[in-house]
Amino acid sequence: MKIIKKGTKTPPDKRIYITKCRTCGCEFTYMEEDIKYCSTDFSGVVCPQCNYWVHPFIKRKYKGGKK
């Protein structure tokens, strides 16, 4: 693949989402690349504190700072 003319627009920022673990109760952020997919159309994120599988039903965007 070859770029003929470089664009002037910057790519959109990567979206960061926030979720709460139902096992240990911690809140953490994740990005689209952190989502793991299973063979049965099953997606989730691994909690960084307790290493359990978290299923984010509603994706809330992380806006930074405290609530």
Side-chain angles (χ1 to χ4, degrees):
M1 198 179 283
K2 183 179 174 183
I3 297 175
I4 297 173
K5 181 181 175 185
K6 290 190 175 185
T8 57
K9 296 181 181 178
T10 58
D13 294 336
K14 292 184 177 181
R15 293 191 178 166
I16 300 174
Y17 299 103
I18 186 170
T19 190
K20 184 175 182 178
C21 179
R22 292 178 193 87
T23 306
C24 66
C26 73
E27 288 187 2
F28 61 95
T29 59
Y30 65 96
M31 294 178 15
E32 293 285 336
E33 59 198 30
D34 297 328
I35 297 175
K36 308 275 191 243
Y37 293 98
C38 189
S39 62
T40 59
D41 297 331
F42 190 65
S43 63
V45 181
V46 177
C47 176
Q49 183 173 338
C50 64
N51 293 327
Y52 274 87
W53 197 261
V54 179
H55 312 286
F57 295 113
I58 300 171
K59 289 186 177 181
R60 295 185 303 153
K61 291 181 185 175
Y62 179 67
K63 296 182 178 151
K66 294 185 178 181
K67 290 183 180 178

